[in-house]
Amino acid sequence: MLERRLTFYCGETGLTLFQLDKLKKLAGYFSSDVHVFNLQLLRAESVTKPLRVSTLASKPYQLCQLIITGADAELALLVLTDFIHEYACPLLLSSSDSKGNAILKQRMALLDFPLSFITAKQAQTVQNKASLLATLTRSLVDEKVIKADDYQAVLSAIEKREIISATVMAEGIAMPHVMIEPILQPAMVTSCCQEMDWQSPRGNISKVLMMVLPKPSPRCVLMAFSRFSKQLLQEPYTQALRQASDSHVLQALIIEAMLASD
C-alpha cells in the first residue's frame, strides 16, 4: 500500500474546525485514507472526524503529519500540500526560510544548551558499518564539534561502544553514541543509508542517528537526550523516524522529543 507523509507545524492559532472541514472535503475526493498524526501526543485521527482531529491540531505550534495511505496517495499529497501551505507551516528541505523551518528554529532555541545538528554528506554511497561510522565522525570535524586531532580518538570510542553491543535502538534505526572529553558541544549526526548490516540480532538498519556528548555534560543535556531515547520505545515515533528522509523533518522529530514533558 502506497503511503505518503507531509510534516508541518500548526500556526499561531492551530487549525480551526472550518479548516478541518475543508480538509475533510478535499480528502474525500480521493480513495486514500488520510489521517492527522500529532507527533508530540503520538496520536492519529482520520480527517473524516474533524472534531477528533481538532484535539490534535487546534493548538499553536503542534508538530503534525498528514499520513496518506492508498493507491492515489501521490495525487492526494499534491492537492493536500496546497491546503497545508495555506493554513499551516510545512517543513521544507528546499526552502530554508519557510514558515515551518522558522518555527523549527524557534523550537530549537528553547533547548537549554547549544546543539549541533548535522546531516552527514554522501552517506548514500557508504557500503558498510565501519566506513559509515568513519564518515559520520569526520562530519564532527567538519562542523567543529571535535578538533581534527581528536578524530581518531572519538572514532575509536564509538567503535569500542559498538563492540560491547550494536546500538540498534529500534527497528531499522541505529544510534551509535559516546560521551567523552574531546566533544566540544552536544551534537546529533543523521544519515539515511541503504539497508545495512549493523551486526545486530535486531536486524538491518536504514537510518543512523549518532549522538555525541561532552564529558561531563550538564543535567539539562542528559535529560533532553534521555527524553529523546525514551521516545524510541514508542513504535509510532520510530515509524515516523524511519519514514523521514528530509533533514528538517528528522530535526523536528528529535527536537520535539527533547522538549517533551518528563
Side-chain angles (χ1 to χ4, degrees):
M1 186 70 70
L2 188 63
E3 179 182 293
R4 292 291 181 267
R5 295 190 180 213
L6 177 62
T7 308
F8 62 94
Y9 277 104
C10 296
E12 293 181 0
T13 59
L15 293 174
T16 67
L17 271 176
F18 170 78
Q19 293 163 354
L20 293 174
D21 280 332
K22 183 175 181 179
L23 176 60
K24 174 184 175 180
K25 183 177 180 180
L26 285 172
Y29 290 118
F30 304 96
S31 62
S32 294
D33 293 325
V34 183
H35 288 74
V36 172
F37 176 39
N38 185 304
L39 287 154
Q40 289 150 297
L41 301 176
L42 296 181
R43 283 178 45 217
E45 295 287 354
S46 169
V47 298
T48 61
K49 302 172 182 178
L51 277 174
R52 291 189 179 183
V53 175
S54 70
T55 66
L56 305 180
S58 62
K59 294 182 180 180
Y61 307 125
Q62 291 287 289
L63 181 65
C64 297
Q65 288 181 331
L66 285 185
I67 302 179
I68 309 167
T69 309
D72 59 357
E74 195 74 53
L75 179 59
L77 177 65
L78 291 174
V79 173
L80 297 180
T81 295
D82 287 338
F83 171 88
I84 295 300
H85 271 281
E86 184 174 359
Y87 295 115
C89 307
L91 285 161
L92 301 172
L93 179 63
S94 60
S95 178
S96 60
D97 60 349
S98 75
K99 292 180 181 179
N101 295 345
I103 293 173
L104 174 56
K105 290 180 181 179
Q106 294 169 9
R107 298 291 292 171
M108 191 168 179
L110 295 177
L111 293 174
D112 296 327
F113 56 90
L115 172 65
S116 291
F117 198 97
I118 305 165
T119 302
K121 299 176 181 177
Q122 298 179 338
Q124 293 284 358
T125 62
V126 177
Q127 298 299 316
N128 57 60
K129 178 178 178 177
S131 58
L132 181 54
L133 288 175
T135 297
L136 301 185
T137 307
R138 176 58 61 184
S139 69
L140 297 174
V141 177
D142 297 338
E143 297 298 326
K144 297 180 171 50
V145 173
I146 63 175
K147 297 178 181 178
D149 291 346
D150 292 323
Y151 164 80
Q152 192 56 56
V154 173
L155 177 58
S156 295
I158 292 169
E159 290 173 335
K160 287 178 182 178
R161 173 62 187 83
E162 290 292 327
I163 291 172
I164 294 172
S165 176
T167 54
V168 177
M169 307 300 289
E171 181 184 347
I173 301 172
M175 195 173 78
H177 53 276
V178 71
M179 182 166 63
I180 55 175
E181 292 179 358
I183 307 298
L184 301 178
Q185 74 172 46
M188 293 285 299
V189 188
T190 66
S191 169
C192 300
C193 58
Q194 296 178 350
E195 190 169 304
M196 181 180 294
D197 179 8
W198 206 254
Q199 295 144 27
S200 167
R202 302 185 72 175
N204 294 346
I205 61 96
S206 58
K207 187 147 290 158
V208 182
L209 311 173
M210 177 184 281
M211 178 177 76
V212 297
L213 303 177
K215 185 179 181 179
S217 286
R219 186 174 185 275
C220 62
V221 173
L222 297 177
M223 291 301 295
F225 278 87
S226 174
R227 288 191 287 268
F228 165 64
S229 298
K230 287 178 182 177
Q231 286 290 78
L232 292 174
L233 301 176
Q234 305 295 324
E235 173 56 26
Y237 180 74
T238 56
Q239 176 69 8
L241 284 176
R242 284 192 293 272
Q243 293 283 350
S245 57
D246 183 313
S247 61
H248 286 114
V249 173
L250 268 176
Q251 184 172 352
L253 285 167
I254 293 169
I255 294 302
E256 294 304 331
M258 289 183 173
L259 291 172
S261 300
D262 293 319

